[in-house]
């Protein structure tokens, strides 16, 4: 599915209610390093940016940043001099954060592709930023997202600064895979586990984002209760009807339904189908699909073997030799695994 980057905002975007509810305790933290941890789709980025905005706000209230002062405006238009956003270049592009002149020049001249990891030279820039004097006389913020995209060299470059933070600088690290972070990084942060929204709150938020009620409910299920992921599916043209046809397409070996999907998105949906058919075969309730669209008679051993293959595919999904061949192979594996058998 083709993703479009977020457009620059001149006004702050209202945070979802489950994000706003977590801000209070976080704003009162005095630690120089906070780690926001939780699975994807719960609003980690929104919470991290709201927290950074609150730390920099000139008129902080009980509910967080005022959204009106010059500091809040500077964050909203992505130009605050005391905020350094450290992300893979592909993620910076997605959220419309500006790249450094050198990086932008390299990409414009096609010397390389945008990085999918946080580069060590970008980390060095962040550390140099942390050592400067604040331009507004308040604290400086370094926001790192997703933190698991730091390799060991980049993590080690950050570690010394976390051990001996220079002056009034705060680090906000955001991760969807805490187990991938170095233990020494985690030990120097206060960790906050993200709160899951209630289904009612999630559906209400999705409705305000423009999703019809039936679409919101189906896509929230497709996303395992993660509202941001549900919104991403909708924004990328996936509706309840398309989602319900995925298992049948796999049984028929039809890969055309996935033609606009990325390899990572394909593996993700295959793992969801695999999970739900196994759960259903043991009498459980599927999580991501309605039971009515899933095959009921499967060869459990075959689907279990398929599950292992998908686990291996996940490890190399971002570096496929040929995306077309990879899609054909994954679809063929699914068709073989879901072929109807009796026990």
């Amino acid at each position: 599915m083709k993703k479009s980057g977020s457009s620059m905002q001149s006004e702050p975007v209202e945070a979802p209610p489950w994000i706003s509810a977590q801000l209070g305790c976080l704003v009162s933290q005095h630690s120089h390093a906070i780690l926001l941890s939780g699975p994807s789709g719960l609003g980690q980025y929104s919470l991290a940016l709201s927290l950074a905005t609150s730390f920099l706000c000139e008129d902080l209230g009980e509910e967080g940043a005022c959204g009106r002062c010059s500091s809040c405006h500077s964050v909203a238009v992505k130009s605050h001099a005391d905020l350094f956003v450290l992300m893979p270049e592909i993620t910076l592009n997605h959220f419309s954060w500006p790249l450094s002149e050198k990086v932008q020049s390299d990409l414009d001249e096609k010397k390389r592709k945008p990085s999918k990891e946080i580069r060590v030279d970008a980390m060095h820039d962040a550390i140099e930023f942390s050592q400067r004097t604040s331009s507004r006389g308040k604290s400086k913020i370094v926001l790192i997202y997703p933190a698991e995209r730091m390799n060991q060299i980049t993590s080690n470059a950050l570690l010394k600064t976390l051990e001996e933070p220079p002056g009034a600088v705060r680090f906000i690290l955001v991760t969807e895979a805490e187990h991938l972070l170095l233990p020494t990084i985690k030990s120097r942060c206060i960790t906050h586990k993200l709160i899951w929204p209630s289904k009612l709150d999630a559906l209400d938020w999705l409705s305000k984002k423009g999703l019809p009620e039936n679409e919101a409910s189906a896509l929230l299920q497709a996303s395992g209760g993660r509202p941001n992921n549900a919104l991403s599916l909708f924004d990328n043209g996936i509706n309840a009807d398309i989602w319900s046809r995925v298992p049948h397409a796999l049984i028929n070996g039809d890969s055309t339904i996935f033609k606009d999907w990325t390899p990572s998105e394909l593996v993700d949906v295959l793992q969801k189908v695999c999970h739900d058919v196994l759960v259903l075969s043991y009498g459980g309730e599927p999580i991501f699909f309605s039971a009515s669209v899933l095959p009921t008679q499967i060869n459990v051993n075959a689907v279990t073997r398929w599950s292992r293959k998908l686990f291996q595919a996940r490890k190399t999904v971002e570096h496929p030799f040929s995306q077309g061949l990879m899609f054909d192979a994954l679809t063929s594996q699914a068709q073989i695994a879901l072929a109807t058998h009796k026990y």
Side-chain angles (χ1 to χ4, degrees), residues 18-29:
W18 63 92
I19 294 298
S20 300
Q22 299 174 73
L23 266 179
C25 65
L26 289 170
V27 170
S28 63
Q29 291 285 354

Side-chain angles (χ1 to χ4, degrees), residues 15 116 135 159 229 233 235 248 258 291 308 318 336 342:
K116 295 181 179 180
S135 67
L159 189 56
N229 287 358
L233 287 174
D235 286 343
H248 189 261
F258 310 116
R308 296 193 195 103
E318 292 187 357
I336 292 170
K342 293 184 178 181

Side-chain angles (χ1 to χ4, degrees), residues 37-101:
S37 176
S40 67
L42 298 185
Q44 287 91 328
Y45 171 72
S46 177
L47 178 57
L49 191 58
S50 295
L51 183 58
T53 306
S54 298
F55 284 151
L56 295 168
C57 180
E58 297 165 1
D59 189 21
L60 184 64
E62 291 183 1
E63 296 183 358
C66 70
R68 300 179 301 273
C69 67
S70 61
S71 181
C72 286
H73 175 75
S74 294
V75 175
V77 298
K78 301 177 171 63
S79 63
H80 201 296
D82 290 333
L83 173 62
F84 192 103
V85 177
L86 188 59
M87 298 176 175
E89 292 156 4
I90 197 167
T91 309
L92 287 169
N93 282 334
H94 176 74
F95 288 113
S96 299
W97 285 97
L99 300 169
S100 70
E101 289 185 13

Side-chain angles (χ1 to χ4, degrees), residues 3 52 55 70 72 98 110 120 129 135 143 152 175 188 196 209 226 254 296:
K3 299 187 184 301
F55 284 151
S70 61
C72 286
K110 302 189 184 305
V120 68
F129 161 86
S135 67
L143 192 162
Q152 186 160 354
T175 182
R188 284 158 178 79
W196 283 76
K209 290 293 184 179
R226 304 174 187 187
D254 180 10
T296 55

Side-chain angles (χ1 to χ4, degrees), residues 122-132 142 157-158 161 166 171:
M123 178 60 75
H124 290 154
D125 290 342
I127 293 170
E128 190 273 332
F129 161 86
S130 72
Q131 296 167 346
R132 299 179 202 158
V142 177
L158 171 65
T161 302
F171 291 85

